């Protein structure tokens, strides 16, 4: 089925939308797609598309069937496990809390600065006793507005827990499994950056290395989002590809054979996926990188379009709710567009500048419908800014963040100059966006 997996991927996607929204438009598109496949594709592709679509819909139906709460609204005492990295924003502490195998979104109002400093010692996977009140998440109050209740539902979260009492002394760290140990190490890494680096560098290092954006100021997040640059603050295929290439080069340079280097990277990439937070874009990037490494190892070329299609299918079969994740949609929309255009549009541009401009334009056009649907606006400066910021972040800021972390761990004190360089670069970016935000260039 070389070159045909994309049809299976699109069939699964549209079938899920038909089932979830009961949309006549989606049903019409699904019928048209199957007619096209029947006329243009081998019969095994049509059969595979139909079977995978039915399987995907069945898995979504089963997921919805079991996505029910077991907690009672009148409950007031809870014993469970902290299942996400606790985040403090001003006087509010937020974290996911697992009770009776069900996650709730917990909020705690910090009373004093001393209490805030004390509770910063909370770590993921600690088992704690909490007292509080369960409330239902708020649904969207206006048509097409962000639906927080639906957003949490697709994470299998049905309650918000307003914590009234949280005693750190009663929190214990259980025996960790290999997987939970990796997430524990991830929090340690995030905390290490927070405690040893200054802002704004610390927040950006957390985002680019560990996929944790909560350390970046909310105003900065809004500016990057306003100009269509928010993807730079998430770990994407470009980040994973650069890291994989860097590690491969270093392994070869220290004398490890090509075959063993590939095997080692295949073992390390899933580890990095967990350390980077396991978001949809990270999973996609790691899955595609592993497929490409496997194809090199077994000396069988795999098409990029097949690689991304297989990643898309595998993620939906593993978790159908991925389809409703904005990051998943944007990541695959842009990646599909760039891969499909790589054989037709991009070869027409010969200079590096024109190719960069073409790639930025394709990425912007492919993400435009989703940006308009979810954020109701797009900046006219998005294209030129991406042409500047994408190379800057990919080739300078990301490697600099990694270098600062490794140097600081190995030679504390030597990294100060590198930190100052990063600080200046980020401030220049921030001031540039702040200046441009004063112009009415949003559609």
């Amino acid at each position: 089925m070389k070159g045909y997996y994309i049809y299976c991927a699109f069939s699964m996607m549209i079938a899920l939308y038909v089932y979830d929204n009961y949309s006549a438009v989606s049903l019409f598109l699904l019928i048209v797609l199957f007619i096209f496949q029947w006329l243009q594709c081998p019969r095994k592709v049509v059969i595979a598309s139909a079977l995978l679509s039915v399987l995907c819909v069945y898995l979504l139906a089963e997921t919805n069937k079991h996505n029910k709460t077991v907690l009672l609204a009148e409950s007031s005492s809870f014993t469970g496990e902290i299942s996400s990295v606790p985040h403090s924003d001003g006087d509010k502490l937020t974290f996911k809390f697992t009770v009776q195998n069900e996650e709730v979104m917990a909020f705690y109002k910090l009373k004093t600065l001393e209490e805030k400093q004390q509770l910063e010692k909370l770590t993921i996977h600690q088992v704690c006793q909490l007292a509080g009140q369960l409330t239902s998440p708020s649904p969207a109050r206006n048509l097409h507005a962000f639906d927080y209740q639906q957003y949490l539902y697709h994470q299998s979260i049905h309650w918000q827990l307003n914590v009234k009492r949280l005693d750190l002394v009663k929190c214990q760290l259980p025996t960790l499994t290999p997987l939970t140990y990796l997430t524990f190490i991830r929090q340690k890494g995030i905390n290490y950056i927070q405690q040893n680096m200054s802002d704004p560098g610390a927040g950006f290092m957390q985002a680019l290395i560990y996929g944790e954006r909560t350390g970046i100021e909310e105003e900065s997040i809004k500016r990057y989002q306003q100009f269509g640059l928010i993807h730079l603050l998430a770990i994407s295929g470009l980040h994973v590809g650069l890291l994989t290439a860097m590690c491969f080069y270093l392994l070869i340079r220290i004398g490890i054979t090509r075959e063993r280097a590939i095997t080692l990277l295949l073992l390390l990439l899933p580890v990095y996926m967990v350390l980077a937070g396991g978001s949809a874009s990270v999973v996609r990037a790691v899955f595609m990188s592993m497929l490409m490494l496997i194809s090199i190892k077994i000396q069988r070329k795999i098409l990029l379009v097949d690689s991304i299609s297989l990643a898309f299918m595998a993620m939906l079969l593993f978790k159908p709710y991925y389809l409703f994740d904005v990051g998943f949609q944007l990541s695959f929309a842009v990646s599909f567009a760039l891969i499909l255009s790589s054989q037709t549009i991009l070869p027409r541009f010969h200079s590096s500048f024109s190719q960069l401009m073409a790639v930025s334009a394709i990425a912007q056009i492919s993400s435009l419908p989703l940006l308009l649907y979810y954020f109701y606006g797009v900046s006219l400066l998005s294209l030129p800014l991406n042409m500047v910021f994408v190379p800057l972040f990919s080739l300078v800021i990301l490697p600099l963040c990694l270098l600062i972390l490794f140097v600081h761990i190995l030679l504390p004190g030597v990294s100060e100059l590198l930190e100052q360089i990063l600080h200046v670069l980020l401030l220049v970016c921030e001031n540039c966006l702040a200046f441009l935000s004063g112009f009415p260039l949003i559609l």
Side-chain angles (χ1 to χ4, degrees), residues 329-341 358-372:
Q329 296 172 13
L330 283 169
S331 176
F332 274 100
V334 173
S335 299
F336 266 118
L338 290 174
I339 289 172
L340 293 175
S341 64
V359 167
S360 299
I362 292 167
Q364 289 302 302
I365 293 170
S366 60
S367 62
L368 181 61
L370 291 171
L371 292 174
L372 290 174

Side-chain angles (χ1 to χ4, degrees), residues 2-132:
K2 190 174 183 179
Y4 288 104
Y5 290 105
I6 189 171
Y7 297 110
C8 298
F10 282 169
S11 299
M12 292 166 62
M13 175 185 71
I14 300 174
L16 285 177
Y17 274 118
V18 170
Y19 175 80
D20 187 70
N21 298 319
Y22 305 104
S23 167
V25 175
S26 299
L27 180 59
F28 173 75
L29 290 176
L30 185 62
I31 293 172
V32 169
L33 180 58
F34 272 110
I35 292 174
F36 175 82
Q37 291 182 53
W38 184 266
L39 295 176
Q40 299 293 326
C41 302
R43 290 293 174 264
K44 63 180 181 180
V45 175
V46 182
I47 294 171
S49 291
L51 291 176
L52 286 169
S53 298
V54 171
L55 176 60
C56 219
V57 168
Y58 169 76
L59 291 174
L60 178 59
E62 284 297 300
T63 304
N64 286 336
K65 179 181 176 181
H66 294 95
N67 191 5
K68 309 290 183 184
T69 183
V70 297
L71 301 176
L72 301 176
E74 56 269 20
S75 301
S76 59
S77 181
F78 308 90
T79 300
E81 178 182 319
I82 297 174
S83 50
S84 71
V85 176
H87 168 61
S88 59
D89 183 10
D91 65 346
K92 184 172 69 174
L93 183 70
T94 307
F95 55 91
K96 292 179 182 178
F97 192 67
T98 302
V99 186
Q100 300 179 35
N101 295 319
E102 179 181 340
E103 273 192 334
V104 299
M105 187 62 71
F107 301 93
Y108 179 67
K109 187 175 177 62
L110 298 164
K111 300 177 180 63
T112 63
L113 179 60
E114 291 74 18
E115 184 182 41
K116 180 178 181 179
Q117 293 172 342
Q118 188 72 15
L119 290 180
E120 283 179 350
K121 299 176 183 177
L122 276 175
T123 64
I124 190 171
H125 301 306
Q126 279 187 309
V127 177
C128 300
Q129 295 179 8
L130 309 180

Side-chain angles (χ1 to χ4, degrees), residues 45-293:
V45 175
V46 182
I47 294 171
S49 291
L51 291 176
L52 286 169
S53 298
V54 171
L55 176 60
C56 219
V57 168
Y58 169 76
L59 291 174
L60 178 59
E62 284 297 300
T63 304
N64 286 336
K65 179 181 176 181
H66 294 95
N67 191 5
K68 309 290 183 184
T69 183
V70 297
L71 301 176
L72 301 176
E74 56 269 20
S75 301
S76 59
S77 181
F78 308 90
T79 300
E81 178 182 319
I82 297 174
S83 50
S84 71
V85 176
H87 168 61
S88 59
D89 183 10
D91 65 346
K92 184 172 69 174
L93 183 70
T94 307
F95 55 91
K96 292 179 182 178
F97 192 67
T98 302
V99 186
Q100 300 179 35
N101 295 319
E102 179 181 340
E103 273 192 334
V104 299
M105 187 62 71
F107 301 93
Y108 179 67
K109 187 175 177 62
L110 298 164
K111 300 177 180 63
T112 63
L113 179 60
E114 291 74 18
E115 184 182 41
K116 180 178 181 179
Q117 293 172 342
Q118 188 72 15
L119 290 180
E120 283 179 350
K121 299 176 183 177
L122 276 175
T123 64
I124 190 171
H125 301 306
Q126 279 187 309
V127 177
C128 300
Q129 295 179 8
L130 309 180
Q133 181 181 5
L134 292 173
T135 58
S136 295
S138 301
R141 293 195 174 97
N142 300 310
L143 186 64
H144 302 307
F146 175 67
D147 193 333
Y148 187 60
Q149 188 178 73
Q150 190 74 1
Y151 169 77
L152 291 181
Y153 175 82
H154 287 141
Q155 298 182 55
S156 300
I157 297 176
H158 304 276
W159 297 101
Q160 294 181 170
L161 175 58
N162 298 313
V163 181
K164 304 299 182 183
R165 187 175 71 252
L166 171 57
D167 190 352
L168 183 61
V169 177
K170 296 183 179 179
C171 294
Q172 304 292 329
L173 191 64
T175 303
L176 298 175
T177 65
L179 180 60
T180 56
Y181 183 74
L182 286 177
T183 56
F184 181 74
I185 291 297
R186 176 175 182 264
Q187 181 176 347
K188 289 293 184 183
I190 293 170
N191 291 344
Y192 181 87
I193 292 173
Q194 187 62 47
Q195 293 164 5
N196 293 281
M197 313 294 173
S198 58
D199 289 325
F204 280 82
M205 287 179 67
Q206 289 172 338
L208 296 175
I209 297 174
Y210 292 106
E212 182 62 49
R213 255 187 354 217
T214 54
I216 303 177
E217 292 290 333
E218 188 64 31
E219 192 62 32
S220 294
I221 295 285
K222 289 180 180 178
R223 287 200 183 105
Y224 277 83
Q225 183 175 300
Q226 175 186 4
F227 290 105
L229 300 169
I230 193 68
H231 61 92
L232 297 174
L233 308 183
I235 296 175
S236 63
L238 185 59
H239 291 82
V240 176
L242 284 171
L243 284 172
T244 303
M246 288 165 54
C247 291
F248 184 76
Y249 175 78
L250 290 173
L251 291 171
I252 295 297
R253 293 292 295 175
I254 63 175
I256 295 178
T257 64
R258 180 186 177 92
E259 291 73 19
R260 289 184 178 177
I262 291 174
T263 301
L264 188 58
L265 286 172
L266 287 172
L267 295 173
L268 291 177
L269 277 170
V271 173
Y272 178 68
M273 181 177 70
V274 177
L275 292 177
S279 66
S281 61
V282 174
V283 175
R284 176 195 62 77
V286 167
F287 192 93
M288 288 184 65
S289 296
M290 292 180 68
L291 283 177
M292 300 310 294
L293 288 172

